[in-house]
Amino acid sequence: MKKNALFPGLVLFIAFLLAGCTGKDTSQVKENAYPVIPKPVKLVKSSGQFTFTPQTEIKYYPDHAGLKDIGEYFSGMLNRSGGFTMDVAPAARPRAAKNSLLMVLDTTLDMNPEGYLLNITPKTIEIKAKEPRGIFYGIQTLRQLLPPQVEGAAKAENVTFSVPCANIEDQPRFPYRGLHLDVGRHFFPKDFILRYLDMMAMYKYNTFHWHLTEDQGWRIEIKKYPKLTQIGSCRKETLVGSWEGEKEARYDGKKDCGYYTQEDIKEVVAHAKKLYITVIPEIEMPGHSLAALASYPQLGCTGGPYEVATHWGVFKDIYCAGNDSVFTFLENVLTEVMDLFPSKYIHIGGDEAPKDRWEKCPKCQARIKAEGLKDEHELQNYFISRIEKFLNAHGHNIIGWDEILEGGLAPNATVMSWRGIKGGIAAAKMKHDVIMTPNSYCYFDYYQGDKDKEPLAIGGFLPLKKVYSYEPVPAELTPEEQKYILGAQGNVWTEYMATPDYVEYMVYPRACALSEVDWTPAGEKDYDDFVNRLKANLQHLKVMGVHYRPLGE
Ligand code: TNX
């Protein structure tokens, strides 16, 4: 009899343990309760959960503007989606009180400046890091542990905003974790760029490479050269379907225009800064410059007239390397660019610059002779090195596509290896920093499924699993040389992506896979486990209204 009387109490006690120490029911905790992407270095699960309520306090120590901003960023999310306001205030001491989230800066921690410690117990949450950016990444992890409704723009009904208990120690593998976007082929409105950055932050990307100038459109306002946007930001029409050469080409007959004002750019850069993302602008040279040539024909070798391109490909008309006014123009453009972008790096392109015009141009030939150069490839090196010198003198470093290795490498350049990994290997061996973006693993403009079932893309085949399998450090490098590999970047060329929805479809979830390549130690990666986490994690993107490509097709 006595025994039986104990039994219901025991059941209740076990149920209480299972439900977590708060005694709340577990129904709000996700099925895959730890769907964090990129996968943290170390995550120890524990029972119980912490529940955010209007009484939860967000505290930070020491009193620091960056921490206050992060606290408000997080409370803003729960304010929109949960409809409640939490207090954000400095703490008197670095100890978490009951029902609080405490963020602590601790410069004595022995970890990477982007790393963080996150401890979730039923009563408190503590995030510790050396720098605010580490705290910010701890918050992103916390966000992914919350129900996906946390991403909502309006109050979600019947949701308990709980996170499962855990102890996490985390830091990135690479210091450069990039995503790129080509706004030259198609222009995307400022609001979409802000959203693109929001999504990047969730996956702990820290660099946005903004490809701002192209043959088909110049997208950045330059006060000194108004025609760049008056003329260069518009094309008279656009190719329909894929580019098979001029004979087969059909055009839509519709004018297509767009550019960012300097105010827009400042807003994007400020938004990125709050998300701990650096924006690297790319001003292409000497190739992919038809829109600039159409605006100022004297910048080309033949003098024009030129037209903003209406189809895709590589064009022979490029900036004239024999013409000093080209350097004056570019230096003036870059001066405004440097004022707008605090980034240490400025990307100067350097890819796909046919030498046809330079071969026939007397001024270019005279320059080759006067400078004692061997050929037009060395002339390209002269071009890039001259621009590099200008940017270095103003405190900036250049990044260029791997073609900048041809004809000699500018002394301080960082190389973006895109035509496979050869360029990256060569540059690292020359003791230059490298960012890996090989098209075989990092080109999100390639098909991600069966070509016949997918919307039109540029070609190639890059399914999610292949992105995930990428190892950015080439085995050919010695341990010393490997240190020059800063990280990997996903490239998003938009010849065939005319709308924001289509960009999202091409980028997600492949960018989720690449985030793990950039963040998680190679030995911790596991594709099946990634897909499991992704299934739950994608619900966040769903609530955000992101048009990602569904899994399993
Ligand atoms: C090559 S990647 C290019 C781009 C194209 C892309 C298409 C690179 C440096 N140049 O101009 O958009 O291929 O995949």
Side-chain angles (χ1 to χ4, degrees):
M1 189 67 191
K2 256 185 183 172
K3 240 186 192 172
N4 282 350
L6 253 181
F7 186 66
L10 191 65
V11 169
L12 264 179
F13 180 64
I14 291 171
F16 173 75
L17 281 184
L18 286 176
C21 320
T22 54
K24 289 249 160 62
D25 87 55
T26 50
S27 58
Q28 299 294 343
V29 175
K30 295 179 226 177
E31 201 180 306
N32 179 345
Y34 301 84
V36 182
I37 293 176
K39 185 181 178 186
V41 175
K42 193 172 161 206
L43 186 155
V44 180
K45 302 176 183 184
S46 56
S47 62
Q49 65 200 61
F50 178 96
T51 301
F52 287 91
T53 66
Q55 287 72 45
T56 307
E57 290 179 318
I58 300 182
K59 297 278 197 179
Y60 50 92
Y61 183 91
D63 195 350
H64 184 291
L67 296 188
K68 180 169 185 270
D69 283 349
I70 297 171
E72 280 167 1
Y73 163 87
F74 183 68
S75 76
M77 288 182 87
L78 279 167
N79 186 255
R80 285 188 297 277
S81 57
F84 56 87
T85 311
M86 293 180 290
D87 245 22
V88 181
R93 65 186 84 81
R95 210 162 345 113
K98 206 174 155 217
N99 197 12
S100 74
L101 157 61
L102 175 69
M103 304 179 284
V104 180
L105 281 188
D106 181 351
T107 50
T108 67
L109 287 175
D110 180 21
M111 62 179 358
N112 184 309
E114 291 185 296
Y116 65 92
L117 304 173
L118 168 61
N119 192 27
I120 306 171
T121 74
K123 291 193 178 125
T124 60
I125 299 180
E126 223 176 331
I127 306 177
K128 277 191 188 169
K130 280 176 97 154
E131 295 188 10
R133 49 190 168 147
I135 302 278
F136 183 75
Y137 292 134
I139 288 286
Q140 295 306 326
T141 296
L142 195 60
R143 165 189 191 174
Q144 294 189 348
L145 290 171
L146 277 160
Q149 288 88 343
V150 71
E151 310 298 341
K155 186 177 182 310
E157 296 302 332
N158 304 319
V159 176
T160 306
F161 288 94
S162 299
V163 285
C165 296
N167 197 346
I168 298 173
E169 290 176 34
D170 199 13
Q171 58 182 15
R173 179 178 173 198
F174 291 106
Y176 185 108
R177 304 179 302 280
L179 259 196
H180 150 284
L181 185 65
D182 164 18
V183 296
R185 272 56 177 267
H186 281 101
F187 175 78
F188 302 99
K190 179 196 70 191
D191 284 346
F192 178 67
I193 305 299
L194 299 175
R195 176 177 160 91
Y196 197 75
L197 291 166
D198 289 338
M199 291 185 268
M200 284 175 63
M202 178 145 90
Y203 296 105
K204 304 188 175 85
Y205 280 99
N206 65 1
T207 311
F208 173 47
H209 171 175
W210 203 2
H211 185 80
L212 285 163
T213 68
E214 258 306 335
D215 297 307
Q216 295 83 6
W218 182 281
R219 308 302 184 192
I220 171 174
E221 177 189 24
I222 300 294
K223 305 261 192 210
K224 201 170 181 113
Y225 299 105
K227 286 186 194 165
L228 285 172
T229 40
Q230 283 159 7
I231 296 173
S233 74
C234 278
R235 58 175 175 261
K236 69 170 196 268
E237 56 188 356
T238 305
L239 178 78
V240 177
S242 54
W243 174 244
E244 311 286 352
E246 194 58 67
K247 257 210 219 131
E248 285 80 14
R250 276 193 306 116
Y251 294 87
D252 65 2
K254 281 189 263 175
K255 198 167 167 182
D256 192 84
C257 304
Y259 70 93
Y260 307 100
T261 64
Q262 296 203 349
E263 286 311 305
D264 290 338
I265 304 250
K266 284 181 198 158
E267 197 180 328
V268 167
V269 169
H271 187 67
K273 187 171 177 223
K274 280 197 167 168
L275 303 173
Y276 294 88
I277 294 173
T278 301
V279 186
I280 298 183
E282 180 178 354
I283 305 297
E284 267 267 28
M285 61 191 80
H288 289 292
S289 47
L290 254 184
L293 268 50
S295 314
Y296 295 97
Q298 66 272 28
L299 300 172
C301 288
T302 64
Y306 307 103
E307 209 183 47
V308 179
T310 54
H311 65 79
W312 326 121
V314 175
F315 296 85
K316 288 185 180 148
D317 285 301
I318 66 175
Y319 290 118
C320 184
N323 189 345
D324 274 328
S325 70
V326 164
F327 294 96
T328 312
F329 166 82
L330 287 171
E331 289 178 9
N332 287 335
V333 166
L334 289 169
T335 299
E336 292 192 31
V337 168
M338 286 186 285
D339 282 347
L340 290 167
F341 295 91
S343 162
K344 175 95 183 151
Y345 290 115
I346 292 186
H347 201 306
I348 51 70
D351 64 309
E352 298 181 326
K355 305 298 181 289
D356 307 54
R357 297 292 182 258
W358 292 2
E359 281 163 13
K360 302 233 158 60
C361 156
K363 280 190 189 166
C364 295
Q365 293 305 315
R367 172 96 70 204
I368 288 178
K369 231 169 144 194
E371 298 290 334
L373 306 171
K374 201 170 82 206
D375 57 13
E376 290 73 22
H377 290 292
E378 288 200 356
L379 183 58
Q380 162 137 346
N381 174 253
Y382 166 89
F383 193 115
I384 302 293
S385 298
R386 185 163 163 178
I387 294 293
E388 180 187 64
K389 215 166 163 189
F390 172 78
L391 287 171
N392 285 173
H394 290 83
H396 292 268
N397 286 350
I398 67 162
I399 304 179
W401 299 108
D402 58 40
E403 283 92 334
I404 66 168
L405 281 153
E406 294 162 9
L409 187 53
N412 306 311
T414 295
V415 172
M416 233 174 217
S417 186
W418 74 276
R419 297 173 301 176
I421 62 171
K422 287 191 310 288
I425 295 170
K429 286 193 181 293
M430 293 162 76
K431 301 192 188 324
H432 282 247
D433 284 340
V434 174
I435 295 151
M436 299 303 281
T437 66
N439 46 9
S440 42
Y441 291 93
C442 298
Y443 270 44
F444 297 162
D445 56 340
Y446 285 11
Y447 282 104
Q448 48 193 327
D450 185 348
K451 213 174 156 166
D452 300 329
K453 295 186 188 139
E454 292 291 319
L456 181 66
I458 198 157
F461 181 56
L462 180 57
L464 184 66
K465 191 170 185 175
K466 185 157 183 203
V467 178
Y468 193 81
S469 75
Y470 183 49
E471 168 48 51
V473 178
E476 290 87 336
L477 297 180
T478 65
E480 195 44 47
E481 292 162 351
Q482 290 178 7
K483 293 187 188 135
Y484 292 100
I485 308 292
L486 302 182
Q489 171 175 290
N491 286 345
V492 186
W493 301 102
T494 59
E495 286 94 332
Y496 297 96
M497 301 177 211
T499 65
D501 288 0
Y502 191 19
V503 170
E504 290 177 357
Y505 178 86
M506 295 300 270
V507 177
Y508 287 94
R510 288 189 287 194
C512 304
L514 193 70
S515 79
E516 207 145 310
V517 169
D518 266 327
W519 184 282
T520 308
E524 291 294 318
K525 281 169 62 199
D526 174 330
Y527 185 68
D528 292 337
D529 172 65
F530 165 71
V531 171
N532 256 335
R533 278 178 285 119
L534 185 60
K535 281 179 191 154
N537 187 287
L538 282 174
Q539 299 309 309
H540 284 254
L541 293 184
K542 195 172 194 172
V543 177
M544 285 166 90
V546 177
H547 296 81
Y548 62 86
R549 182 182 187 275
L551 290 176
E553 285 149 51

